[in-house]
Amino acid sequence: MAGHSKWANIQYRKGAQDKKRGKIFTKLIREISVSARTGGGDPDANPRLRLAIDKALSNNMPKDNIERAIKRATGDADGAHYEEVRYEGYGPSGVAIMVDCLTDNKNRTVAEVRHAFSKHGGNLGADGSVAYLFSRAGVISYGPEVDDEPVLAVALEAGAEDIAEYDDGSFDVLAAPDDYRQVRDALEAAGHEPSAADVTMRPATTTELEGADAETCLKLLDMLEDLDDVQNVYSNVELPEDVLAAS
């Protein structure tokens, strides 16, 4: 992969998120609140809320914080009401980027997102301009030190759809969003703890960047993820290890 490493990309994203733990808590609480308000406070009957709770727990959020957020969202107390909005655009060298937001002020949010794109050589596109390149999937990731055969055996038995293998030896177990939790739980129960796991927007193809373009794209992704109203940033970029290591 010309020096590109799926594993390095995953580890960098995890490290970047760890540095922003306080901001992540705020975003997770917002997602829990919106999920509970729109689909009810019972995670067994609300898959979106169940996933939000799983993410919060995996980020070591105290259960009391989660329960308070659900109670506030499903109660009568007044509070900010957030709207879901997605922006699509292009980064350096035409890299596809999708930005999912929860906002109480769309004018503020679109201005901030547009500024991030324009500052780092990108531009916003029309609705649907890059969304067709992505599909929603459960992705359970393992590093190159893990033997894929026993993992795959458990995963397929639990309902996984496929496995994606990469040149650096890392691999992803892929599952339909509705089957993600049972596949992940089965793998963990069998002792196959993943390095990362989530229901995400997975690109059909990736774009590899080098040098200055890679550095600029990484700055764009970081700036977007740092915006208060941004919940998730998806892209089809693969970055070289030297750029990730220097960031």
Side-chain angles (χ1 to χ4, degrees):
M1 295 176 66
H4 296 261
S5 167
K6 175 72 173 181
W7 182 241
N9 277 255
I10 289 173
Q11 293 302 96
Y12 172 78
R13 300 322 309 175
K14 283 186 65 180
Q17 290 174 349
D18 288 342
K19 293 176 184 176
K20 302 173 183 176
R21 184 67 58 196
K23 183 159 286 190
I24 285 177
F25 274 22
T26 300
K27 294 184 178 187
L28 288 169
I29 287 293
R30 188 176 294 188
E31 173 64 19
I32 289 169
S33 299
V34 171
S35 300
R37 185 175 294 124
T38 57
D42 179 4
D44 290 331
N46 184 345
R48 179 177 173 180
L49 176 60
R50 185 171 65 239
L51 181 61
I53 292 172
D54 285 348
K55 287 184 181 180
L57 292 174
S58 69
N59 280 278
N60 299 315
M61 180 179 288
K63 290 184 179 180
D64 288 348
N65 294 30
I66 297 172
E67 292 171 359
R68 282 198 299 270
I70 294 172
K71 288 179 180 178
R72 283 198 301 268
T74 55
D76 297 326
D78 291 332
H81 289 272
Y82 296 101
E83 181 178 358
E84 297 179 78
V85 59
R86 170 174 287 170
Y87 300 105
E88 303 175 41
Y90 303 93
S93 299
V95 165
I97 300 174
M98 288 199 310
V99 187
D100 283 350
C101 304
L102 289 175
T103 179
D104 58 357
N105 186 329
K106 286 179 66 175
N107 291 333
R108 176 193 67 223
T109 304
V110 70
E112 292 177 345
V113 170
R114 181 180 289 113
H115 173 67
F117 272 97
S118 62
K119 184 175 181 179
H120 296 293
N123 60 279
L124 280 180
D127 289 348
S129 57
V130 302
Y132 71 95
L133 296 170
F134 297 82
S135 58
R136 193 164 182 263
V139 180
I140 305 165
S141 301
Y142 291 89
E145 77 285 354
V146 178
D147 183 0
D148 62 352
E149 289 189 8
V151 173
L152 183 58
V154 174
L156 292 176
E157 180 70 23
E161 293 182 333
D162 202 358
I163 185 172
E165 298 178 304
Y166 305 100
D167 289 352
D168 62 354
S170 61
F171 62 95
D172 291 333
V173 173
L174 307 178
D178 289 345
D179 297 330
Y180 158 78
R181 193 182 190 194
Q182 69 186 35
V183 174
R184 185 206 63 193
D185 289 351
L187 287 166
E188 291 178 348
H192 304 304
E193 188 73 28
S195 63
D198 200 359
V199 175
T200 186
M201 299 298 293
R202 186 171 183 269
T205 60
T206 58
T207 299
E208 299 179 359
L209 297 186
E210 303 282 351
D213 279 351
E215 294 172 5
T216 301
C217 189
L218 184 57
K219 290 177 182 177
L220 170 56
L221 296 177
D222 282 345
M223 186 172 181
L224 287 168
E225 289 181 345
D226 202 41
L227 296 176
D228 289 342
D229 294 337
V230 171
Q231 292 294 108
N232 293 293
V233 178
Y234 308 106
S235 81
N236 69 340
V237 69
E238 290 288 349
L239 300 169
E241 292 185 58
D242 59 336
V243 171
L244 295 172
S247 63

